[in-house]
Amino acid sequence: MCPVLSKMSKQKTVFVTGGTGYIGSHCIVDLLNEGYEVITIDNLTNSRSGALRRVEEITGKKVTFYQCDLLDGETVHKIFAKHKIDYVIHFAAMKAVGESMQFPLIYYKNNVIGTINLIEAMKANNVYQMVFSSSCTVYGDPEHLPITEDHPTGAVTNVYGRTKYLIEEMLKDLSRAEEKWNIIALRYFNPVGAHPSGRLGEDPTKNFTNLMPYIGQVAIGKKPNLTIFGSDYDTPDGTGVRDYIHVMDLASGHVSALTKLDQEHLKFKPLNLGLGHGISVLEFVKEFERLTKVHIPYEFAGRRIGDVATLVCDGSRGMKELKWQPTRSFQVMCKYRCSQLFSIHPFISGFHLYWDCLALI
């Protein structure tokens, strides 16, 4: 968690887009625990409003929620006009790499135009402090590892990443043209895990594309097997390698970014958030099996268009700038995800999974 905030800071209000989603809901937990007021919106296309009820149960604090799409610029303006907002944390986006390659126009419209509507509402209401949820995908297929913030961006391999890159460039131009803007773009790598209570986790309404929830569905018998896309990458075991970071570490990084915005006028600053340690898909599966004692059957399929072999970050600059440190290991990520699975699916068959999860906590 970030250092205790000043009494003045504790009175401030954060507007969170995509607040019922995976990262957004975990971030709101940290924001409430640190004394911020939270107003959040979500269009609920890939999440459930019940996540906020669980957030309120965990924290004992209330969240102001509006079901609203950023493409509805008029409603976004009305919400801003109704509240005194100090900061924006912008999570809302469509985010599936494979889907973005199939439906590019939908991704450009939703992610880029939605952000323009948000920025216009911010400017109209004199709100210039933003933490933008960016992505390691802006680096494309990196030439050098680990990836620092100085690595070139723009040679992106998928539409989702291009929307993030375009938004970054737009925010960069905005901060050059208008001095008031103060923006941190957090380029994070692969968030996994769940809140230690087991009450929150990654529970999308669309088909699963991220590895951890997909494995979880196999573990509880809702899917017959895991499909691993690509077995011939230039990696030690042929499967893709990613830098995984616990979602609660990610959440605290966003809270620390708000403190940084209070302390310094940055205009536009990109920072990596990750552990700096790569794990392949097969290593991920084997470790999950070892921790849970649940067998995860898998099959290989061809590479997905837009995926790259390895994405591992150098996160030292983000840790230094934000005075922030990730504290949870990969084993902890698996443990909390397991407890969350049982919390959401209390009547699953195979209660051995529940007892194994308890043994890990």
Side-chain angles (χ1 to χ4, degrees):
M1 305 287 281
C2 70
V4 176
L5 302 174
S6 68
K7 187 174 181 180
M8 180 178 293
S9 295
K10 285 192 174 185
Q11 306 304 313
K12 291 187 175 181
T13 299
V14 186
F15 183 84
V16 179
T17 71
T20 67
Y22 176 44
I23 303 172
S25 60
H26 286 80
C27 185
I28 290 174
V29 169
D30 256 20
L31 289 169
L32 294 173
N33 285 337
E34 292 293 340
Y36 290 98
E37 298 292 326
V38 175
I39 297 162
T40 188
I41 66 169
D42 204 297
N43 63 10
L44 302 181
T45 59
N46 193 34
S47 57
R48 299 171 173 86
S49 59
L52 293 180
R53 174 177 51 78
R54 295 192 291 274
V55 166
E56 291 176 338
E57 291 170 356
I58 290 167
T59 63
K61 298 178 181 179
K62 301 297 288 183
V63 179
T64 301
F65 171 65
Y66 296 93
Q67 184 172 345
C68 172
D69 195 308
L70 285 175
L71 294 177
D72 181 0
E74 183 179 350
T75 300
V76 175
H77 275 266
K78 287 179 181 178
I79 295 170
F80 267 83
K82 188 175 180 180
H83 300 276
K84 173 65 176 70
I85 295 166
D86 299 289
Y87 316 90
V88 169
I89 300 182
H90 179 28
F91 292 110
M94 297 177 71
K95 64 182 184 66
V97 168
E99 184 183 59
S100 76
M101 302 298 285
Q102 293 178 291
F103 307 104
L105 188 60
I106 295 173
Y107 269 69
Y108 284 116
K109 181 178 180 180
N110 185 84
N111 294 3
V112 180
I113 296 177
T115 301
I116 291 172
N117 289 343
L118 173 65
I119 290 169
E120 288 178 342
M122 290 175 67
K123 186 175 178 179
N125 290 276
N126 203 35
V127 182
Y128 293 95
Q129 307 249 67
M130 173 191 274
V131 178
F132 171 56
S133 167
S134 191
S135 166
C136 61
T137 55
V138 300
Y139 294 117
D141 195 352
E143 296 177 5
H144 306 289
L145 296 169
I147 308 166
T148 72
E149 291 86 350
D150 299 322
H151 190 285
T153 60
V156 187
T157 61
N158 58 74
V159 172
Y160 163 69
R162 276 192 281 277
T163 67
K164 292 294 186 178
Y165 169 72
L166 286 173
I167 293 168
E168 278 201 13
E169 292 299 296
M170 180 173 63
L171 296 177
K172 211 179 294 182
D173 288 338
L174 195 62
S175 67
R176 290 192 192 107
E178 302 178 19
E179 186 66 29
K180 289 183 179 181
W181 288 97
N182 196 21
I183 302 165
I184 294 177
L186 295 179
R187 296 170 178 166
Y188 33 86
F189 283 61
N190 286 62
V192 293
H195 189 271
S197 67
R199 301 286 289 132
L200 282 179
E202 191 169 9
D203 194 30
T205 59
K206 291 184 179 180
N207 289 333
F208 295 93
T209 57
N210 290 351
L211 183 57
M212 182 69 93
Y214 202 131
I215 288 178
Q217 290 294 293
V218 176
I220 64 174
K222 285 204 166 186
K223 288 188 180 293
N225 56 264
L226 170 70
T227 301
I228 298 177
F229 296 97
S231 59
D232 57 351
Y233 286 109
D234 185 16
T235 61
D237 61 22
T239 64
V241 172
R242 297 293 183 266
D243 187 340
Y244 295 96
I245 180 170
H246 195 284
V247 67
M248 291 308 300
D249 282 331
L250 203 59
S252 67
H254 286 75
V255 179
S256 294
L258 294 184
T259 303
K260 180 74 171 176
L261 291 176
D262 270 341
Q263 295 169 344
E264 189 176 346
H265 189 74
L266 305 163
K267 298 188 76 175
F268 177 88
K269 179 175 280 292
L271 294 171
N272 290 340
L273 294 188
L275 296 187
H277 174 63
I279 299 172
S280 76
V281 176
L282 281 180
E283 288 174 327
F284 194 122
V285 171
K286 290 173 183 176
E287 187 64 11
F288 189 92
E289 288 180 330
R290 186 186 71 80
L291 290 168
T292 64
K293 306 297 187 295
V294 175
H295 175 59
I296 305 296
Y298 61 83
E299 63 181 11
F300 290 110
R303 299 183 187 186
R304 288 184 301 193
I305 298 174
D307 277 348
V308 301
T310 304
L311 285 172
V312 178
C313 87
D314 179 342
S316 58
R317 187 179 303 177
M319 294 178 200
K320 180 180 178 181
E321 293 267 0
L322 301 179
K323 297 180 175 61
W324 162 86
Q325 189 75 36
T327 62
R328 297 162 179 90
S329 68
F330 180 71
Q331 288 72 24
V332 172
M333 300 176 201
C334 288
K335 177 184 75 173
Y336 289 160
R337 171 59 184 169
C338 192
S339 62
Q340 185 256 349
L341 277 172
F342 183 77
S343 178
I344 292 178
H345 306 282
F347 302 110
I348 60 173
S349 60
F351 282 94
H352 62 279
L353 176 60
Y354 169 57
W355 295 113
D356 285 339
C357 289
L358 287 182
L360 293 168
I361 296 174

